[in-house]
Amino acid sequence: MKRAHRSALAALVAAGALLAAGCSSDSGGKAAQDRAEEGEVGQADTPRMTVALITHGAPGDTFWDTVREGAETAAHKSNAELIYSSDPSVSGQANLIQNAIDQDVDGIAVSLANPEGLSGAIAQAREAGIPVVGLNSGMDAWRDLDLLSFFGQDEIVSGRAFGERLDEIGAEHTVCVIHEQGNVGHEARCAGVAEAFDGETEVLYVEGADMPSVRSTIEAKLRQDDSIDYVVALGAPFALTAVDSVADAGSDAEIATFDLNTELVTSIEEGDIQFAVDQQPYLQGYLAIDCLWLYHTNGNFSGGGEQPVLTGPAFVDGENIDTIADFARNGTR
Amino acid sequence: MTTTTQRVRRVLARPETGALIGALAVYAFFFAVAPTFRQFDSLATVLYQSSTLGIMGLSVALLMIGGEFDLSAGVAVTTSSLTASMFAFQLTLNVWMGVLVALVLALAIGAFNGIMLVKTGLPSFLITLGTFLMLQGLNLAVTKAITGHVATDSIRDMDGFDQARDLFASSVSIGGTGIRITVLWWLGFALLATWVLLRTTYGNWIFAVGGHRDSARAVGVPVTFVKVSLFMLVGFTAWFVGMHQLFAFNTIQSGGGVGNELLYIAAAVIGGCLLTGGFGSIPGPVIGAFLFGMVSQGIVYANWDADWFMFFLGSVLLLATLLNLYVRKQATTRRLT
């Protein structure tokens, strides 16, 4: 009995192994991802330093993960240890800055979603003699907060560029989908679009944390008003969801979005999504950390405390997607 | 059975003892793994984070002992600060006027919750879920309609701001370390609440309505008054924390506060309050909030990968709660044998 069981088990395992070997995929999957990954980058021989990157990103957000990738690369090259932390609420982010001060880091990079609210914590960091650079949002406030440099895109400017692009394409009626109620940057983007766009722009609020609800809300909006011919999303995951909504609603609206991620690249290649305005999050994270290193080792910084370093807007569409696709698949665009 | 062991068991059976042991364990753990955590400055940061959560935790715990929930507590904080800020800014008044109006509104929201609950007899979960969603919508819609943006304008340069900031959001230097004033308010409120709960008739009423509403009514406890006033107390603390946020951060984003209601309830539950009502204490939520603050900052001090933050937070809280349960079980079962 026992032996019969054992040989049956052996046969099963063997069959399973054969099956798994025979069924291996020739394309995609982890193997393709590994192939695409670049070799190790070099490292500076400057003394070890510690820098903190404190963002307002929600955990698991692809955008902020790309920022972090850039920051990690810069930190690695600079022989620096990167402490990454994030909290979407102002009070939480202020606490994290305090936390970095307690740890006596050599530099802080911070995204200024609510500059006014962070002013106290940043002033304390400055008092403690820690250099602070800004990134991503807070373009109009970083000078007043006595930051070294700022790396990001002007949301209003990129919104306007988006609106102008819609005019060129000949769109007439867009709906701008805001997935985070009360986010100043999102409002600024939609305001920029509305300002530059000659047609009609409507704002639609969706519950960003709940994708099924995003999908059905956009669908409902498209059904309710069939004159909408362009859906403007403010983040890649939401643009991808909008593709489903458009299909469900039987609408012939097209989709364009702010920000980029891996799947979005495929959708642009396949023509499901027309274009994306990229603010190059990787570059923001990279430059911010690199700036702290340069300042620490050589006293350099960009912009003279007056001018921001603009990382966008960069348009990604069917024409230039090939050059960007590989990088995006690495999670670095 | 000696009197000493009896006394020990009585202490172990108290609602907050388990949480206290959990908190000590967590403290010792981070003390060991995170060098920065050992500094007094870091303790001040932890206490600050615990204090705003803790102030809300106090009133939410009293409400839970009284047998009810308030899911609207998180956004009510934002509602209060938005109201104060916009009222003062739009009418160009002394900010204290805004502070007062916000207080009236916050108490009114609490009263609305309480009266709806008593009149309809629906579970507080449903009533306050409705209020929660309505307030979330109002916060955005009214702010957008009045200011044209999603955040309020800064009121930093207005009359009365400095005074109000001294009261709600200043720092006190103790031995060279800046302690936020909310920490002192938190502990002060906790002492007051302990006295009310244990030494006054009103305190007894809270336990009575949370334990058996009908029996409480039968022996002459004014159930309606107790429930409505408890909800108003949550409104009061929401106002207080809202004022702190306004004067600490100068502007308020209309989308804030969502999700915090669960943290308040968590602080109370970690501190040994029962979800079913009628059982709990004030030191409990104080320790619960401190535990939460310790874990959330400690993870950063220890420089663990931020991706794991929520997992670590959840597991440490779960472990602390299990310890709490274990300690109380040990204490109560031995008493029976």
Side-chain angles (χ1 to χ4, degrees):
Chain A
M1 261 319 256
K2 237 180 194 171
R3 189 166 298 167
H5 269 247
R6 205 174 294 162
S7 48
L9 188 70
L12 205 69
V13 169
L18 277 175
L19 205 67
C23 289
S24 75
S25 169
D26 289 332
S27 63
K30 181 69 187 158
Q33 199 179 41
D34 287 345
R35 281 197 295 276
E37 249 152 54
E38 286 167 305
E40 188 82 346
V41 288
Q43 193 174 53
D45 57 359
T46 47
R48 188 82 176 156
M49 62 185 283
T50 308
V51 289
L53 171 59
I54 300 162
T55 74
H56 67 277
D61 187 304
T62 51
F63 179 88
W64 287 104
D65 205 48
T66 313
V67 173
R68 188 178 171 185
E69 287 276 341
E72 294 278 6
T73 307
H76 180 75
K77 275 188 178 175
S78 313
N79 190 23
E81 184 182 2
L82 179 75
I83 301 171
Y84 177 82
S85 55
S86 71
D87 197 312
S89 73
V90 200
S91 53
Q93 217 191 342
N95 265 333
L96 290 171
I97 294 175
Q98 188 62 50
N99 194 313
I101 300 170
D102 294 341
Q103 298 194 53
D104 200 19
V105 295
D106 298 307
I108 296 176
V110 61
S111 67
L112 306 166
N114 185 337
E116 187 76 36
L118 294 179
S119 57
I122 289 173
Q124 285 202 320
R126 302 291 301 120
E127 248 168 63
I130 301 172
V132 184
V133 299
L135 71 151
N136 186 252
S137 38
M139 181 75 84
D140 47 4
W142 65 278
R143 292 176 202 87
D144 299 338
L145 296 176
D146 194 21
L147 302 196
L148 269 189
S149 297
F150 184 88
F151 307 90
Q153 111 180 319
D154 189 324
E155 300 293 8
I156 288 267
V157 168
S158 66
R160 282 191 206 122
F162 201 109
E164 282 157 16
R165 184 66 173 251
L166 289 174
D167 280 334
E168 281 170 32
I169 294 173
E172 279 168 3
H173 185 181
T174 67
V175 57
C176 193
V177 182
I178 294 188
H179 58 265
E180 237 179 81
Q181 288 201 354
N183 180 314
V184 181
H186 289 182
E187 298 281 342
R189 285 177 176 180
C190 286
V193 172
E195 201 183 299
F197 181 49
D198 293 332
E200 191 190 342
T201 309
E202 276 184 80
V203 169
L204 177 70
Y205 288 100
V206 296
E207 181 60 49
D210 181 8
M211 250 340 161
S213 130
V214 172
R215 179 172 171 168
S216 46
T217 310
I218 299 175
E219 184 196 334
K221 182 68 197 171
L222 291 170
R223 281 188 195 279
Q224 178 254 323
D225 189 342
D226 58 8
S227 70
I228 294 170
D229 58 1
Y230 246 93
V231 178
V232 178
L234 301 186
F238 305 96
L240 293 163
T241 304
V243 173
D244 295 331
S245 311
V246 168
D248 291 348
S251 156
D252 42 16
E254 311 240 54
I255 300 150
T257 182
F258 288 85
D259 299 344
L260 203 62
N261 74 7
T262 315
E263 284 112 287
L264 197 90
V265 166
T266 316
S267 294
I268 292 179
E269 280 173 333
E270 289 171 357
D272 289 335
I273 288 171
Q274 300 310 309
F275 65 91
V277 169
D278 188 11
Q279 60 171 307
Q280 312 200 69
Y282 186 87
L283 190 61
Q284 291 177 1
Y286 183 92
L287 290 179
I289 300 303
D290 205 37
C291 176
L292 289 172
W293 176 77
L294 278 168
Y295 186 73
H296 191 69
T297 53
N298 206 34
N300 296 125
F301 60 100
S302 312
E306 288 296 326
Q307 293 299 319
V309 178
L310 295 181
T311 61
F315 280 90
V316 177
D317 56 20
E319 282 170 23
N320 65 358
I321 189 70
D322 291 343
T323 51
I324 292 168
D326 284 345
F327 303 129
R329 295 210 168 91
N330 281 345
T332 54
R333 270 306 285 266
Chain B
M1 201 182 262
T2 63
T3 47
T4 338
T5 52
Q6 263 177 335
R7 206 171 296 152
V8 168
R9 270 171 211 164
R10 208 174 303 144
V11 169
L12 286 179
R14 291 182 59 81
E16 68 274 9
T17 307
L20 183 64
I21 295 173
L24 289 175
V26 169
Y27 186 84
F29 175 71
F30 282 115
F31 196 91
V33 299
T36 324
F37 188 79
R38 294 166 208 162
Q39 299 162 10
F40 196 60
D41 283 346
S42 306
L43 183 65
T45 310
V46 167
L47 280 174
Y48 169 56
Q49 159 139 43
S50 314
S51 66
T52 50
L53 175 63
I55 290 173
M56 288 305 293
L58 292 175
S59 62
V60 169
L62 286 176
L63 183 68
M64 274 177 69
I65 298 172
E68 306 296 343
F69 287 107
D70 189 350
L71 295 183
S72 67
V75 283
V77 170
T78 309
T79 306
S80 305
S81 40
L82 287 171
T83 307
S85 167
M86 286 192 293
F87 191 81
F89 185 87
Q90 298 299 329
L91 302 178
T92 326
L93 296 172
N94 189 301
V95 295
W96 283 103
M97 288 308 295
V99 171
L100 273 182
V101 170
L103 175 61
V104 172
L105 184 81
L107 292 176
I109 293 169
F112 173 82
N113 278 335
I115 291 168
M116 283 295 281
L117 175 92
V118 174
K119 292 285 174 212
T120 61
L122 286 168
S124 52
F125 192 91
L126 286 178
I127 303 272
T128 58
L129 181 68
T131 329
F132 163 45
L133 296 173
M134 289 194 300
L135 286 179
Q136 194 187 346
L138 279 177
N139 283 352
L140 177 67
V142 174
T143 310
K144 193 89 188 282
I146 291 181
T147 68
H149 310 289
V150 290
T152 61
D153 303 279
S154 173
I155 57 164
R156 190 164 42 175
D157 50 0
M158 296 182 69
D159 284 350
F161 183 88
D162 290 337
Q163 269 178 338
R165 191 176 50 194
D166 285 345
L167 183 69
F168 293 111
S170 56
S171 295
V172 188
S173 177
I174 296 175
T177 301
I179 301 281
R180 306 295 185 104
I181 200 156
T182 44
V183 177
L184 304 180
W185 280 115
W186 173 39
L187 300 176
F189 284 147
L191 287 177
L192 185 67
T194 310
W195 178 76
V196 169
L197 193 62
L198 299 180
R199 292 276 178 272
T200 65
T201 324
Y202 183 74
N204 282 332
W205 288 348
I206 296 177
F207 279 110
V209 296
H212 286 281
R213 186 204 285 233
D214 296 330
S215 334
R217 185 169 278 137
V219 296
V221 173
V223 175
T224 305
F225 167 75
V226 174
K227 296 243 170 180
V228 174
S229 60
L230 282 175
F231 274 107
M232 289 175 72
L233 193 67
V234 176
F236 173 80
T237 53
W239 166 78
F240 193 91
V241 174
M243 291 310 102
H244 167 69
Q245 295 201 338
L246 176 59
F247 294 106
F249 303 115
N250 311 337
T251 65
I252 295 296
Q253 289 205 13
S254 57
V258 177
N260 288 352
E261 62 282 346
L262 290 179
L263 301 184
Y264 307 148
I265 293 174
V269 176
I270 295 165
C273 292
L274 289 188
L275 288 161
T276 45
F279 184 79
S281 73
I282 286 300
V286 171
I287 297 164
F290 180 58
L291 216 156
F292 191 88
M294 228 171 7
V295 176
S296 51
Q297 294 295 322
I299 289 170
V300 188
Y301 287 126
N303 198 13
W304 291 344
D305 191 336
D307 295 344
W308 289 86
F309 178 82
M310 283 297 168
F311 176 80
F312 287 135
L313 188 62
S315 48
V316 172
L317 291 180
L318 187 63
L319 281 174
T321 319
L322 287 177
L323 191 64
N324 186 356
L325 187 76
Y326 173 77
V327 168
R328 204 177 326 141
K329 237 182 200 158
Q330 289 294 308
T332 41
T333 46
R334 253 189 246 143
R335 189 161 44 188
L336 292 175
T337 53

